[in-house]
């Protein structure tokens, strides 16, 4: 289990509490599907995903990107994605990398090395289980602890 410093917890809480989920979620998922096209296989029912121009404005992708971020916030993604949908856990590392890029783009120069280190350590792999978290922030931080393994 990853041990978080108070500074890392504070940074992660600040980042996620200020995220515009309706903006960041779609951008992160779209980026993942464009940069890593093999991840598209899980989205066959989402319509045309043949090129970036089709993916970026796709309302199904946008809605799912928002849902994914809220799922991270509520720590609800692991069972559905790993056990029922059999999503390759490596795809969540790719999505996490894309999420980090989108957050960095939003933050600009405020995305310092310290913030990058905290976000990179928290965005390694999507968690498979979320147990023992009490609040939304604790769930989020707990999910990042599991993601770092």
């Amino acid at each position: 289990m990853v041990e978080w410093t108070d500074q890392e917890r504070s940074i992660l809480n600040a980042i996620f509490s200020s995220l515009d989920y309706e903006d960041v979620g779609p951008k992160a998922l779209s980026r993942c599907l464009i940069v890593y096209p093999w991840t598209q296989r899980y989205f066959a029912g989402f319509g045309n995903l043949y090129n970036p121009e089709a993916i970026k404005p796709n309302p199904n992708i946008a809605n799912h990107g928002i849902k994914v971020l809220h799922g991270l916030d509520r720590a609800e993604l692991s069972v559905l994605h790993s056990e029922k949908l059999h999503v390759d856990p490596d795809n969540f590392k790719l999505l996490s990398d894309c999420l980090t890029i989108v957050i960095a783009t939003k933050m600009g120069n405020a995305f310092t090395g310290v913030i990058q280190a905290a976000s990179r350590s928290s965005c390694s792999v999507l968690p498979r289980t979320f147990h023992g978290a009490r609040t939304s922030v604790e769930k989020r931080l707990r999910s990042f602890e599991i993601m770092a393994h």
Side-chain angles (χ1 to χ4, degrees):
M1 182 172 186
V2 175
E3 295 294 324
W4 297 95
T5 66
D6 289 340
Q7 181 184 23
E8 288 171 325
R9 286 180 186 275
S10 176
I11 289 168
L12 294 171
N13 185 38
I15 290 171
F16 276 84
S17 66
S18 65
L19 279 184
D20 177 356
Y21 284 39
E22 286 71 27
D23 180 48
V24 173
K27 286 180 179 175
L29 183 56
S30 292
R31 179 179 290 273
C32 187
L33 296 173
I34 292 165
V35 175
Y36 308 107
W38 59 89
T39 62
Q40 295 175 17
R41 70 177 175 241
Y42 299 103
F43 301 95
F46 280 32
N48 178 1
L49 302 178
Y50 298 125
N51 57 47
E53 292 75 27
I55 293 170
K56 288 189 259 184
N58 185 310
N60 294 319
I61 297 299
N63 290 334
H64 196 68
I66 295 165
K67 184 186 269 187
V68 165
L69 277 190
H70 283 291
L72 280 173
D73 188 31
R74 294 184 303 263
E76 294 175 346
L77 296 178
S78 65
V79 173
L80 173 64
H81 287 81
S82 69
E83 295 177 13
K84 293 183 181 175
L85 300 175
H86 306 290
V87 175
D88 182 347
D90 288 339
N91 288 346
F92 289 106
K93 182 185 181 315
L94 302 176
L95 178 61
S96 295
D97 290 345
C98 291
L99 179 59
T100 299
I101 291 167
V102 171
I103 291 170
T105 302
K106 290 283 185 197
M107 293 182 71
N109 290 336
F111 193 78
T112 64
V114 172
I115 291 173
Q116 182 179 8
S119 67
R120 290 293 300 162
S121 68
S122 68
C123 292
S124 296
V125 182
L126 190 77
R128 290 184 179 269
T129 58
F130 300 88
H131 297 292
R134 291 190 175 94
T135 67
S136 178
V137 172
E138 287 174 340
K139 287 178 185 177
R140 187 179 317 120
L141 291 173
R142 174 70 179 128
S143 71
F144 289 135
E145 290 170 0
I146 295 169
M147 286 169 42
H149 290 296

